[in-house]
Amino acid sequence: VPIATRGKYTFGEKEYSDGALLDPIPIEPVLKAGYKDITVVLNNPIDYKTKQYGKLLSNLSFRGNKKAIWAMQNYHHIRYNQSMDILNNPPSDVTINIIAPEKDLPTGLLVTDTKKLNLSVDLGMEAAKKMFQRNSTKIRNFLESLRHFNHR
């Protein structure tokens, strides 16, 4: 969460930031890499569209980093919504399995309420369970195929 880390993490002598700033749901690079069977885990319903972040949140998240502040305010919401459009209308030769809550979670960026956090986890587990039930035969066949590999 950029606001908790002030938008950066230092590793060695380099600073890094959450990749979600520029590509919050990186579905396009995955498609360009040629993957055809993709699973995506979302923390918003599949029909969710995000709005532009305001100056306060952007400045709190990336204090002093004008490029990151600009990207958060002017680019993040566009990339997020483009990715959601792809998830809702994938290429015909691609299967995208989506694990997403059916409704908005009771949490936000800065929620610390244990009950709300636990409820969000429970809702996520329920969404995952439904996706696995819908795809149980496919998953079983995949796991069965793994048994045929020789392990060293």
Side-chain angles (χ1 to χ4, degrees), residues 6-145:
R6 296 212 168 116
K8 60 186 176 185
Y9 176 79
T10 304
F11 184 75
E13 294 183 19
K14 292 188 175 188
E15 288 184 351
Y16 296 88
S17 183
D18 188 331
L21 173 65
L22 296 178
D23 203 355
I25 305 170
I27 190 65
E28 285 186 55
V30 172
L31 292 171
K32 285 180 183 174
Y35 292 95
K36 301 293 184 189
D37 192 352
I38 304 162
T39 298
V40 176
V41 179
L42 301 172
N43 53 9
N44 288 303
I46 188 62
D47 60 349
Y48 179 80
K49 296 287 185 176
T50 193
K51 296 178 178 139
Q52 186 174 16
Y53 284 114
K55 289 181 181 182
L56 177 62
L57 182 59
S58 300
N59 279 292
L60 287 173
S61 297
F62 297 99
R63 200 168 301 157
N65 186 334
K66 290 182 180 182
K67 289 181 182 178
I69 292 168
W70 183 90
M72 188 169 180
Q73 289 177 329
N74 298 290
Y75 193 72
H76 177 273
H77 66 290
I78 293 169
R79 292 295 299 141
Y80 182 95
N81 293 335
Q82 287 173 339
S83 294
M84 291 301 282
D85 289 341
I86 293 169
L87 294 181
N88 281 296
N89 301 291
S92 59
D93 63 336
V94 174
T95 299
I96 300 180
N97 301 296
I98 298 171
I99 299 173
E102 293 177 2
K103 58 183 180 178
D104 289 340
L105 297 175
T107 53
L109 286 178
L110 302 174
V111 172
T112 58
D113 182 310
T114 304
K115 287 182 182 179
K116 288 181 179 180
L117 291 168
N118 285 334
L119 177 57
S120 293
V121 169
D122 290 344
L123 291 170
M125 295 292 285
E126 186 61 32
K129 183 178 172 184
K130 287 179 182 178
M131 192 280 294
F132 281 109
Q133 287 172 340
R134 284 191 309 270
N135 293 285
S136 62
T137 301
K138 185 176 172 182
I139 293 166
R140 190 172 21 262
N141 290 341
F142 171 73
L143 293 174
E144 187 65 31
S145 73

